[in-house]
């Protein structure tokens, strides 16, 4: 089977990460793959914020936890040392959510191809509508009408962090010949 198809069939969300930082080479390759995701009319409305700073990573995790309503001490990023945040500029494209979602998929599939675990974590929209998220954008000098699409938590997979694929549902595909 083709290697790309193997990656697409084998990638699963990782919910338990080792604390080790992924290599800079792996991180750069994953990010680059995200930048090559298709976007409507090639508008390239998404941006990626790569967070490897533990202090900021932990603050984002805490904000995400609060939005999600989980108990104190819960880490919605499952211990992953890297968070890639995808946002898209609403003013650039009416397709910004789709564009950002394709970036998310490319990031996660590239991670799998390199043996790096990943998981899509929601609530980026709420984070970046808040003063907390707006400050991150301001501190980075990012201007525009950005909406958070999602977070990709990245790290090396810990034992038991990935479950087997569930069987594909019946009637997933309908064909018209």
């Amino acid at each position: 089977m083709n290697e790309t198809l193997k990656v697409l069939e084998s990638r699963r969300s990782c919910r338990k990460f080792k604390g080790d930082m992924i290599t800079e080479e792996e991180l750069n390759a994953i990010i680059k793959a995200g930048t090559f995701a298709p976007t409507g009319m090639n508008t390239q409305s998404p941006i990626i914020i790569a967070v490897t700073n533990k202090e900021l990573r932990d603050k984002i995790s805490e904000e995400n936890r609060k939005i999600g309503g989980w108990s104190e001490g819960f880490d919605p990023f499952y211990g992953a040392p890297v968070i890639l945040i995808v946002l898209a500029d609403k003013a650039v494209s009416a397709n910004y959510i789709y564009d950002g979602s394709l970036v998310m998929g490319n990031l996660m599939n590239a991670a799998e191809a390199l043996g790096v675990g990943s998981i899509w974590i929601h609530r980026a929209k709420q984070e970046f509508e808040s003063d907390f998220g707006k400050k991150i954008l301001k501190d980075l000098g990012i201007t525009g009408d950005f909406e958070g699409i999602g977070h990709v938590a990245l790290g090396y997979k810990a034992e038991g962090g990935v479950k087997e694929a569930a069987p594909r549902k019946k009637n997933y595909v309908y064909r018209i010949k």
Side-chain angles (χ1 to χ4, degrees):
M1 179 186 285
N2 174 288
E3 286 303 312
T4 300
L5 295 178
K6 284 181 189 176
V7 166
L8 294 175
E9 288 183 18
S10 65
R11 197 216 71 80
R12 295 286 166 267
S13 294
C14 181
R15 289 183 172 81
K16 188 175 181 185
F17 294 91
K18 296 178 181 177
D20 306 340
M21 181 60 68
I22 65 174
T23 69
E24 192 71 19
E25 180 181 49
E26 290 165 333
L27 179 57
N28 290 339
I30 292 165
I31 292 169
K32 183 176 180 181
T35 69
F36 279 90
T39 60
M41 298 178 62
N42 197 30
T43 57
Q44 300 181 38
S45 64
I47 61 171
I48 302 166
I49 300 173
V51 181
T52 56
N53 175 285
K54 181 163 175 27
E55 183 180 339
L56 180 56
R57 178 255 184 251
D58 290 348
K59 286 179 182 176
I60 294 168
S61 175
E62 178 60 13
E63 188 70 16
N64 195 285
R65 180 198 67 76
K66 289 177 187 174
I67 293 166
W70 289 287
S71 300
E72 196 168 323
F74 177 72
D75 178 8
F77 299 112
Y78 302 101
V82 178
I83 302 169
L84 301 180
I85 308 165
V86 176
L87 301 100
D89 194 334
K90 297 186 277 188
V92 170
S93 171
N95 299 313
Y96 70 96
I97 293 174
Y98 308 117
D99 295 347
S101 296
L102 286 166
V103 170
M104 296 285 292
N106 269 28
L107 294 169
M108 292 183 292
N109 287 320
E112 181 66 23
L114 296 174
V116 174
S118 69
I119 186 169
W120 180 326
I121 302 296
H122 292 281
R123 293 164 298 282
K125 180 181 188 312
Q126 296 91 328
E127 280 175 22
F128 285 88
E129 287 174 343
S130 74
D131 290 339
F132 173 85
K134 289 176 183 174
K135 181 176 181 335
I136 291 172
L137 295 179
K138 183 179 179 190
D139 290 349
L140 290 170
I142 297 169
T143 59
D145 192 12
F146 284 94
E147 181 172 308
I149 304 301
H151 312 81
V152 176
L154 294 174
Y156 298 122
K157 302 169 193 172
E159 186 75 29
V162 179
K163 295 180 180 178
E164 290 295 316
R168 301 298 88 179
K169 67 181 181 178
K170 290 184 180 184
N171 300 322
Y172 209 131
V173 177
Y174 292 83
R175 293 181 184 246
I176 301 172
K177 294 184 180 187

